[in-house]
Amino acid sequence: MKKNSAKSASKTQSAAPATNDSNASPKVKFFSGEHIPLELHKVRVVQKLHLVPVERRLAAMQEAGFNTFQLQTKDVFLDMLTDSGVNAMSDNQIAAMMQADDAYAGSQSFARLQSAVEEVFGKKYLLPAHQGRACENILAQHFVKPNSVIPMNYHFTTTLAHITRNGGRIVEILSDDALKIKSTNPFKGNIDIAKLEASIATHGAGNIPFIRMEASTNLIGGQPFSIANMRAVRAIAKKHGILLVLDASLIGENAYFVKQREAEFKNASVAKILLTMCDLADIVYFSARKVSSSRGGGICSNNKEIIDQMKNLVVLFEGFLTYGGISVREIESMAVGLRETTDETVMSQSPLFIEYLVGRLEKLGIPVVTPAGGLGCHVDAMGFVPHIPQKDYPAGALATAFYIASGVRGMERGTMSSVRDVHGHDILADAELLRLAMPRRVFTLSQVKYVEDRLAWLYKNRNLIGGIHFVEEPTVLRFFNGRLAANSDWPQKLAAKFRQDFGDSL
Ligand SMILES: *Cc1c(COP(=O)(O)O)cnc(C)c1O
């Protein structure tokens, strides 16, 4: 009885996007002419935040070893570290969690997830995994051999780690604009088609198990690719008999940008755009911590043979095939969250807030990545603190300084997140970015304005910011657990200047 009514609730939900996903833009015009992103949701559960004084922020940063990953949330005001697993869930997602079917095997929660995946991504077969990197582990173990080469638009940290761990390497084939901070190119995530052909000729199709395209390319600022580009990549992959794998972790935003920026899809629904993208890929995998605002991950395909071959790795590393290390409650919320990804009013909220913040910062002359992407606002550390050389981790230093100035936690995406070469030298990152992630539907506009205000103050005082260096450096994904120290007493001086300028304000 209960189960049925819950099921019909989720059915209603699955039908909802059809009406929401009209051709109307979710942007609401204000009579004043001001461009303000209007929240198309209301807050029904809140969590109290703590903004601690600047002296405590300085101490907390020292305790955290100048690594924002090591901060405790009791010391964090706005957590803009990531969009992973911290997105606001909808009422329908929470409701769906109550009908979870706890079973080791044959859970109906998994059956509901399978049908959502088929409806939204158009893929019939689904392997569950506990998160996105677990999907990458399975794909890399299955496909990557010593000397394998994987061409891609750009790597993600965990993708690179799994491919190299299995003896392969990556080649990034980006358009020339991709790494330019300031650009008007609407599709900086595109693969350069001529370079892709050349790369296949160089490495040999036989050494390339798959080409990888990442939607809303995370590390270059949440920048999308166009469907025209994906079609061209698909044609080349097909010609050479190479599989095309789509990392769909940030696919909702990529679909939203396609609708906004690619003329052919101006009047297409987000649902149709998602299906079009997934149809071009042989294998789609995702981190549900991002897409679907839940927690978990999955690999899906219409190729039963490929899926069957990877099943052993799922049972070995993740769990039985109908849960794969994911709680059944999360599986239920994932199914609803995936369907909500087709709703433009849902998918537009984070990009519109990011666009607003990027626009305001640009006006203030603060260097930011343009055009505004998905995921977050990316501040260009090499433009913000040009006096800090890359070896002193300018983006890491900026993340540290911004936390001290504001209590806002961002993430370094630069050389600190990179690796060392065989000689032990840092491989300098292509860009040094402070990423201020915009978790989906979590913050209000006044909070975004606070971020703008404190960044403006910090920009004015940017000469006070100095470099940092590692004191404890793990060999794998060092940015997560590494500890660093300031190269001088600049953090103390920055905190003192804050106190001087703001009096007894927080
Ligand atoms: C987050 C992310 C991953 C890894 O997913 P996790 O759930 O964090 O393991 C892989 N690819 C992209 C593009 C991501 O953004």
Side-chain angles (χ1 to χ4, degrees), residues 104-106 110 114 126-128 307-308 310-315 318-325 331:
Y104 189 88
F110 187 71
Q114 268 181 316
L126 170 69
L127 294 175
I307 291 289
D308 282 347
M310 289 188 290
K311 277 183 179 167
N312 285 344
L313 291 168
V314 176
V315 290
E318 302 301 314
F320 191 75
L321 293 171
T322 54
Y323 72 88
I331 287 176

Side-chain angles (χ1 to χ4, degrees), residues 24-27 186-187 253-263 265-266 270 273 344 348 351-352 355:
S25 163
K27 279 183 192 162
F187 293 110
E253 286 75 20
N254 205 115
Y256 170 74
F257 288 128
V258 163
K259 186 169 167 63
Q260 299 297 312
R261 302 176 184 179
E262 193 165 359
F265 294 93
K266 196 167 169 257
V270 172
I273 295 170
E344 194 184 348
S348 64
L352 287 173
E355 188 182 49

Side-chain angles (χ1 to χ4, degrees), residues 390-427:
Q390 270 191 287
K391 68 170 183 49
D392 294 340
Y393 310 128
L398 181 57
T400 304
F402 188 50
Y403 169 75
I404 295 171
S406 65
V408 177
R409 168 159 75 166
M411 185 194 289
E412 190 269 4
R413 292 277 82 151
T415 300
M416 233 176 95
S417 305
S418 180
V419 292
R420 288 184 188 272
D421 65 18
V422 287
H423 308 292
H425 301 303
D426 271 331
I427 298 178

Side-chain angles (χ1 to χ4, degrees), residues 25 71 228 276 306 380 442:
S25 163
L71 285 166
T276 306
I306 291 179
D380 169 30
V442 167

Side-chain angles (χ1 to χ4, degrees), residues 56-57 60 130 157 259 349 429 458 480:
R56 173 60 206 151
R57 302 198 294 257
H130 76 276
T157 50
K259 186 169 167 63
Q349 293 292 287
L458 189 62
F480 282 138

Side-chain angles (χ1 to χ4, degrees), residues 193-369:
I193 298 302
K195 287 185 203 158
L196 177 63
E197 282 277 25
S199 179
I200 295 171
T202 308
H203 301 292
N207 292 318
I208 302 176
F210 61 85
I211 298 169
R212 174 177 173 276
M213 283 190 92
E214 182 180 311
S216 301
T217 325
N218 191 324
L219 295 191
I220 62 165
Q223 300 291 325
F225 56 71
S226 68
I227 287 183
N229 185 253
M230 194 179 182
R231 282 181 183 141
V233 173
R234 167 81 206 171
I236 291 172
K238 205 170 169 196
K239 187 172 84 186
H240 293 281
I242 302 171
L243 295 172
L244 180 55
V245 173
L246 172 64
D247 181 339
S249 304
L250 306 172
I251 196 172
E253 286 75 20
N254 205 115
Y256 170 74
F257 288 128
V258 163
K259 186 169 167 63
Q260 299 297 312
R261 302 176 184 179
E262 193 165 359
E264 180 186 340
F265 294 93
K266 196 167 169 257
N267 296 318
S269 65
V270 172
K272 175 84 174 76
I273 295 170
L274 288 169
L275 284 171
T276 306
M277 284 196 276
C278 292
D279 188 45
L280 291 167
D282 299 288
I283 299 171
V284 176
Y285 77 91
F286 57 92
S287 166
R289 298 177 64 84
K290 287 106 177 221
V291 69
S292 82
S293 300
S294 56
R295 288 154 201 91
I299 304 172
C300 55
S301 177
N302 283 328
N303 186 326
K304 186 167 183 296
E305 204 181 319
I306 291 179
I307 291 289
D308 282 347
Q309 286 164 358
M310 289 188 290
K311 277 183 179 167
N312 285 344
L313 291 168
V314 176
V315 290
L316 196 55
F317 290 101
E318 302 301 314
F320 191 75
L321 293 171
T322 54
Y323 72 88
I326 318 169
S327 104
V328 276
R329 285 190 185 77
E330 294 290 348
I331 287 176
E332 292 283 0
S333 68
M334 198 189 301
V336 175
L338 276 180
R339 290 198 168 103
E340 290 176 350
T341 304
T342 65
D343 182 340
E344 194 184 348
T345 65
V346 172
M347 286 328 296
S348 64
Q349 293 292 287
S350 174
L352 287 173
F353 266 47
I354 295 164
E355 188 182 49
Y356 176 84
L357 180 58
V358 165
R360 301 288 300 182
L361 295 175
E362 262 200 301
K363 270 212 183 87
L364 293 167
I366 296 173
V368 280
V369 171

